[in-house]
Amino acid sequence: DLNPANTPITENFHADPSHEDPGGPPFIRVTNPHIAVGHLNHLRITRPDILFAISVLSTAVACWSIKHDKAFTQILRYLRGTPDRLLSFDPKYEFRIFHAYSDASYGTELHHGLTGLAKSRTGYLIFLMGGIVNHLSARQIATAASTYEAELAALSLLVRTLVVLQATVATITNRPQPPTLVHQDNHSVILTLQLRVLNERQRHCRINLSLVIQAIDLGQISVIYCHTSKNLANFLTKGLSRSAFNDAVRAVNDTNG
């Protein structure tokens, strides 16, 4: 019998099995991690609140340990206590107006080819009619050398997805899309988009930067700064405390663009 949990994953959880978590409540022993995590994947579409937890566990199926059994059990306990958390949309908001949030964690992800933590994580949310229509929490493929690089990579991936969604809605409504307001919490990224100048150490970022600038110039997006505490995608990049996580989920549910 599983008691409900307040969060789907513990604060600052790492998939690295060397960071064991002794003690705690009873847990389920997972005999086939691929199948177990695969079953949870079906819930990711309508439950963005467990997206980060599932995504992190999916990176650990090849090095599964008791620590991951406990994390898997916590997701089930959380789901048991939150059956009423669903996606919702409000028809009073215009169908064609998107807004989005982009975030990234830096160097916190397990990389199986290296020792320790090396990869960064992308997290983003795209809203339409007051509800989430697209979301992502995923380990970045390339290894970012700075927080700036991780944040820019996340923003670039968001823009790629957003442009496709905009074109789809424009085709359905037969109306031009207004610029989508994208919230981002990295001052360096915002400044680079404004100045459009790269130094020698940033030249390898020019493709991601060019893609974002192109979307700005075409009137597809407008990127503005928001504080980390106000970035609704924050809970998709890291494990948060109980209060911070509940505040984030509440803000996502309350947002109306």
Side-chain angles (χ1 to χ4, degrees):
D1 190 23
L2 300 176
N3 293 321
N6 295 307
T7 62
I9 196 166
T10 56
E11 185 177 3
N12 299 320
F13 179 87
H14 291 302
D16 187 348
S18 65
H19 293 77
E20 285 294 348
D21 180 23
F27 58 91
I28 297 171
R29 291 305 303 266
V30 178
T31 57
N32 192 321
H34 290 86
I35 294 178
V37 175
H39 285 318
L40 285 179
N41 268 325
H42 294 293
L43 298 175
R44 300 201 305 176
I45 298 175
T46 58
R47 293 295 301 263
D49 50 333
I50 64 172
L51 184 59
F52 170 74
I54 296 174
S55 181
V56 169
L57 285 188
S58 70
T59 67
V61 292
C63 58
W64 199 266
S65 69
I66 292 178
K67 172 182 181 177
H68 304 109
D69 288 332
K70 295 178 180 179
F72 180 84
T73 303
Q74 181 163 340
I75 296 176
L76 299 183
R77 293 172 55 222
Y78 173 77
L79 289 172
R80 181 175 183 179
T82 57
D84 56 338
R85 288 189 173 172
L86 304 172
L87 291 181
S88 62
F89 300 89
D90 194 332
K92 74 179 181 181
Y93 300 115
E94 193 170 359
F95 176 65
R96 69 193 186 99
I97 299 179
F98 292 95
H99 69 287
Y101 292 81
S102 171
D103 195 21
S105 63
Y106 170 59
T108 59
E109 296 294 317
L110 173 67
H111 183 236
H112 299 300
L114 300 171
T115 300
L117 307 173
K119 297 290 186 176
S120 301
R121 176 167 291 271
T122 290
Y124 67 68
L125 295 169
I126 301 176
F127 291 84
L128 181 66
M129 296 181 65
I132 299 171
V133 293
N134 195 281
H135 48 66
L136 180 71
S137 177
R139 187 175 60 184
Q140 295 183 0
I141 297 175
T143 301
S146 65
T147 302
Y148 169 85
E149 288 184 29
E151 294 279 3
L152 183 58
L155 180 59
S156 173
L157 188 56
L158 165 63
V159 170
R160 295 169 194 264
T161 303
L162 185 58
V163 168
V164 174
L165 292 176
Q166 288 176 329
T168 301
V169 172
T171 300
I172 295 173
T173 61
N174 197 28
R175 298 174 63 187
Q177 278 289 113
T180 294
L181 197 60
V182 178
H183 301 78
Q184 218 279 339
D185 62 6
N186 186 275
H187 283 292
S188 296
V189 171
I190 299 294
L191 184 61
T192 304
L193 293 175
Q194 294 172 345
L195 300 179
R196 304 192 179 191
V197 176
L198 288 175
N199 59 41
E200 289 299 320
R201 293 182 299 174
Q202 297 173 317
R203 290 181 64 85
H204 59 288
C205 301
R206 62 185 182 276
I207 295 178
N208 284 335
L209 182 64
S210 297
L211 189 147
V212 177
I213 289 177
Q214 176 179 279
I216 294 174
D217 290 344
L218 292 176
Q220 295 170 317
I221 65 168
S222 176
V223 183
I224 65 169
Y225 173 80
C226 71
H227 191 271
T228 299
S229 62
K230 301 296 183 181
N231 191 336
L232 300 188
N234 189 37
F235 75 99
L236 296 178
T237 62
K238 60 182 70 70
L240 302 177
S241 66
R242 172 183 174 181
S243 60
F245 177 80
N246 288 332
D247 287 345
V249 172
R250 191 178 303 111
V252 168
N253 291 336
D254 292 344
T255 187
N256 58 23

